[in-house]
Amino acid sequence: RSSTIVAPVPEDIRLQDRRCGGPTCCVAQPRLSHTFPMTTLGTDEWAGMDMSVRRGNDHDPSWFSGLTNLEDHYDMIIVGAGISGCVFAERGSKELGLRSLIIDKRDHIGGNCYDFINKHGFRVSQYGVHLFHTKFDRVWKYVNEFSEWMAYEHRVKGKVDVGEGYKIVPIPPSQETVNTLFHANVHTETEMEAWLNERRSVNENPANGEESALTRAGKELYDAIFKHYTKKQWDKWPEELDASVLARIPVRTNTDDRYFSDPHQALPKHGYTKIFENMIMSDPNITVRLNVDFFKERGNLPKCGLTVFTGPIDAYYASQGLPKLEYRSLRFFEEYHEPETDTTKSDHPGFYQPCLQLNYPGPEVEYTRIVEYKHKPNQPAEAKSSKGTVIFKEYSCDHGEPYYPVPNPANRELFEKYQKLASDEPGVCFVGRLASYKYFNMDQAFLNALETFDEVKGKGVLTRTELGEGDGPK
């Protein structure tokens, strides 16, 4: 299997575009060169992406000045410039006039939502595709303060072979999926429910993920859509996973092919990074320092009234000698293509594939999905008219940036120990998905941060909104 990866170039080559994620982005990083077989995911998690150009965003030069020119005291020192950190800083300033110092070990703001325009003119996400959707009116009202939004309903397709060659079908499985793959000939919700019930196993107390999935989907859909995809995502077969992991696998009885059903589904017109710029950049109460590692600089930081920690909770207590919590991570391998544009020769002219996200649930390839950002309607004009396109093949692995908590009894028990330590930690507020050891959708992360700030502001526990489960690996 071939995958385009990055080859080194001289470090002194400079880029012309200065509107990027920061000074480090303006030094030429490895450029796409040639293609050769990918035999390992390796330890360099960005080896497969071309980040030689990251433009389209703004920054303040002071963000890269280290711990110089800081005040002696801040109301809050916030560790992490992602959703939770920026919400705390923005709300602290607007509601209470608090002065905050945000630090982040990365060279950009926005956390995992960070996106940029690459050298081919496409807006891409460094940490994987992000789709905003929410049922929470408070969150929708809040994010609209910082961005214009474009309506967008996400649809996922799967490229599946059940012995008749590849067919492209809706994911989650729906009437169209079973009709295309299994010639089910169902046309109503009643017929779909009956088709599923003939195949679902009856098991009120499933002991593992496989048993749980079979009660939801039946064997045909389980084998075609969920079994091998789960193995690729978690590096464990479903029977090795807790029943809860596959207890909520989506199977639709209707014809709705949208991936999400929330009332608010949209993309930020100018990208996700711009949201965070609008939240914190022009606020005199908020100071930002990037490329600053909290654990290395902890003793050199100014004094503060409250530390807001949004990183991994186990990292905060690394000196306690407890084991690390398990996470799954991701690798992205980028390829540039110039697809067929003749409408008589392609059913998706100008594109590599028919949709933004095409899943590969079978065992025949190691990657889980391919994302083609050109399909996003918030692309700049230069991308929409481009003859080329960029795709990202996505692989799951067990080392790198922490994306998805691994849900099993051992990790739950370990997290409870960390949670007890955190509850007794004076002067520190732990907030966010990494501090909670839980996967949050973007809207859940916003709401969690807003409600946690409400508690800090009110110095007490308020009634929390039930967030539900995040989407998890898609």
Side-chain angles (χ1 to χ4, degrees), residues 40-343:
T40 175
L41 294 181
T43 56
D44 182 0
E45 58 194 303
W46 306 118
M49 289 182 65
D50 179 7
M51 292 189 287
S52 59
V53 176
R54 293 188 292 171
R55 60 184 175 88
N57 301 321
D58 208 349
H59 69 276
D60 187 311
S62 68
W63 291 0
F64 299 91
S65 60
L67 298 182
T68 62
N69 301 316
L70 296 176
E71 303 292 333
D72 294 331
H73 182 276
Y74 290 88
D75 296 305
M76 294 188 291
I77 288 182
I78 299 170
V79 184
I83 291 175
S84 299
C86 289
V87 166
F88 255 73
E90 188 274 336
R91 286 292 83 196
S93 174
K94 294 296 192 300
E95 292 191 27
L96 301 175
L98 300 181
R99 293 161 54 253
S100 297
L101 169 64
I102 304 177
I103 63 172
D104 200 302
K105 67 179 181 180
R106 294 172 171 175
D107 64 356
H108 60 77
I109 63 173
N112 283 8
C113 298
Y114 172 69
D115 54 9
F116 59 91
I117 297 174
N118 71 4
K119 74 175 187 180
H120 298 292
F122 295 98
R123 180 175 286 115
V124 301
S125 296
Q126 182 166 333
Y127 303 92
V129 66
H130 280 64
L131 293 312
F132 186 87
H133 57 100
T134 187
K135 63 182 180 181
F136 303 119
D137 290 336
R138 181 183 183 183
V139 172
W140 183 236
K141 181 179 179 182
Y142 182 73
V143 297
N144 271 273
E145 294 181 29
F146 309 106
S147 178
E148 297 177 67
W149 292 81
M150 305 174 67
Y152 174 76
E153 293 182 327
H154 188 49
R155 287 170 170 81
V156 176
K157 303 291 186 183
K159 197 169 184 178
V160 184
D161 183 2
V162 293
E164 299 178 352
Y166 273 126
K167 296 180 181 180
I168 294 178
V169 296
I171 302 289
S174 64
Q175 292 179 26
E176 181 183 342
T177 308
V178 300
N179 286 338
T180 302
L181 294 180
F182 308 115
H183 312 288
N185 196 32
V186 299
H187 302 288
T188 67
E189 291 195 51
T190 301
E191 291 176 352
M192 180 66 176
E193 192 69 42
W195 187 91
L196 287 168
N197 286 338
E198 288 176 2
R199 289 155 177 82
R200 288 168 168 160
S201 62
V202 178
N203 187 342
E204 294 184 1
N205 296 294
N208 56 53
E210 178 177 74
E211 292 182 8
S212 181
L214 290 172
T215 66
R216 295 275 300 154
K219 183 166 176 54
E220 286 101 323
L221 281 175
Y222 169 71
D223 286 343
I225 306 291
F226 300 111
K227 180 178 181 178
H228 297 283
Y229 197 80
T230 301
K231 170 62 174 171
K232 290 195 284 188
Q233 282 285 7
W234 298 103
D235 195 28
K236 295 181 188 296
W237 292 106
E239 62 264 32
E240 300 176 90
L241 291 170
D242 193 85
S244 63
V245 178
L246 281 85
R248 298 178 66 254
I249 60 171
V251 179
R252 302 258 171 86
T253 57
N254 57 23
T255 57
D256 186 355
D257 65 346
R258 297 176 304 162
Y259 198 84
F260 309 114
S261 58
D262 293 314
H264 307 296
Q265 302 184 41
L267 295 173
K269 184 175 181 179
H270 302 292
Y272 289 104
T273 307
K274 186 62 66 177
I275 296 172
F276 299 92
E277 293 172 6
N278 292 338
M279 289 174 74
I280 65 175
M281 258 194 85
S282 61
D283 193 323
N285 286 330
I286 300 173
T287 301
V288 178
R289 292 293 185 269
L290 302 178
N291 293 327
V292 174
D293 188 318
F294 171 73
F295 297 108
K296 292 180 180 177
E297 301 291 350
R298 200 170 182 174
N300 301 319
L301 294 172
K303 297 185 183 304
C304 68
L306 177 70
T307 298
V308 179
F309 187 79
T310 72
I313 191 170
D314 55 338
Y316 189 91
Y317 292 106
S319 62
Q320 298 280 344
L322 291 172
K324 292 182 67 173
L325 291 164
E326 286 183 280
Y327 283 92
R328 293 294 288 169
S329 190
L330 299 172
R331 291 287 187 278
F332 308 98
F333 285 80
E334 178 180 352
E335 297 176 8
Y336 175 79
H337 294 269
E338 294 184 0
E340 177 62 62
T341 58
D342 188 335
T343 57

Side-chain angles (χ1 to χ4, degrees), residues 5-11 13 28-34 36 47:
I5 74 167
V6 173
V9 294
E11 293 183 358
I13 296 176
Q29 298 180 32
R31 297 179 183 274
L32 285 172
S33 178
H34 54 278
F36 56 89

